[in-house]
């Protein structure tokens, strides 16, 4: 591995969640995606919850990316970040929209610094698939 590649890897290992979000937003917008960063739901909806209260916004994913007809929900984490039970419930529910309810263009995922490049490659793949879908309906 070249020295610059090693420095890049080390820099990705110490990225904060805010830096992960910023990197994803910048790169997604450069690819033509609309991006919205959700305010920290712990501060937006700070009320104490009953353990069975699953209807609050607590744990909603950090980012919403849209490039019609695709909708992507992203939970950004640093390399050591843990997905909370509330975050897990939201991600699982959003995945079900895409899987079980046949909404084929809705995705939900967790992105960490070490996987940002893979995530961005995936966005590029979606763009290529969309071009093919339009060309060959």
């Amino acid at each position: 591995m070249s020295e610059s590649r090693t420095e890049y890897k080390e820099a990705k290992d110490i990225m904060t969640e805010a830096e992960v979000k910023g990197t994803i937003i910048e790169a997604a917008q450069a690819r033509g995606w609309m991006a919205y960063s959700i305010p920290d739901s712990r501060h937006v909806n700070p009320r104490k919850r009953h353990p069975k209260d699953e209807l609050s916004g607590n744990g909603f994913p950090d980012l919403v990316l849209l490039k019609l007809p695709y909708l992507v929900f992203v939970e950004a984490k640093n390399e050591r970040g843990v997905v909370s039970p509330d975050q897990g419930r939201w991600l699982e529910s959003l995945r079900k929209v895409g899987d079980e309810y046949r909404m084929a263009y809705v995705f939900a995922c967790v992105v960490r610094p070490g996987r940002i490049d893979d995530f961005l490659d995936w966005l590029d793949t979606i763009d290529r698939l969309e071009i093919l879908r339009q060309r060959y309906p």
Side-chain angles (χ1 to χ4, degrees):
M1 185 181 296
S2 72
E3 187 173 318
S4 61
R5 185 74 177 150
T6 302
E7 291 170 6
Y8 175 68
K9 182 182 182 324
E10 290 170 0
K12 286 183 8 180
D13 289 340
I14 60 172
M15 288 178 81
T16 65
E17 289 181 19
E19 291 170 328
V20 172
K21 284 172 46 173
T23 300
I24 292 170
I25 289 169
E26 183 177 318
Q29 288 175 334
R31 288 164 169 78
W33 289 74
M34 295 173 67
Y36 179 70
S37 178
I38 307 297
D40 188 333
S41 62
R42 292 172 297 181
H43 304 298
V44 172
N45 195 7
R47 69 180 175 83
K48 295 199 178 211
R49 302 181 327 119
H50 185 277
K52 293 184 179 180
D53 179 7
E54 298 177 6
L55 301 176
S56 75
N58 293 334
F60 192 81
D62 297 316
L63 301 172
V64 177
L65 306 178
L66 175 66
K67 188 171 187 180
L68 293 175
Y70 299 94
L71 180 61
V72 180
F73 298 90
V74 178
E75 180 60 40
K77 291 290 181 194
N78 63 31
E79 287 298 342
R80 295 188 192 111
V82 176
V83 175
S84 74
D86 285 334
Q87 291 169 332
R89 264 192 301 281
W90 270 106
L91 291 169
E92 182 61 27
S93 295
L94 292 166
R95 284 184 188 121
K96 284 181 181 179
V97 169
D99 296 339
E100 293 180 21
Y101 300 108
R102 310 264 190 261
M103 302 285 289
Y105 302 128
V106 176
F107 304 94
C109 59
V110 175
V111 178
R112 298 178 187 280
R115 301 305 300 263
I116 289 175
D117 292 337
D118 293 335
F119 178 74
L120 298 177
D121 287 345
W122 179 74
L123 289 182
D124 290 338
T125 299
I126 287 177
D127 285 342
R128 287 191 297 276
L129 290 173
E130 185 58 23
I131 289 168
L132 288 174
R133 189 176 78 79
Q134 290 173 1
R135 217 176 266 168
Y136 307 103

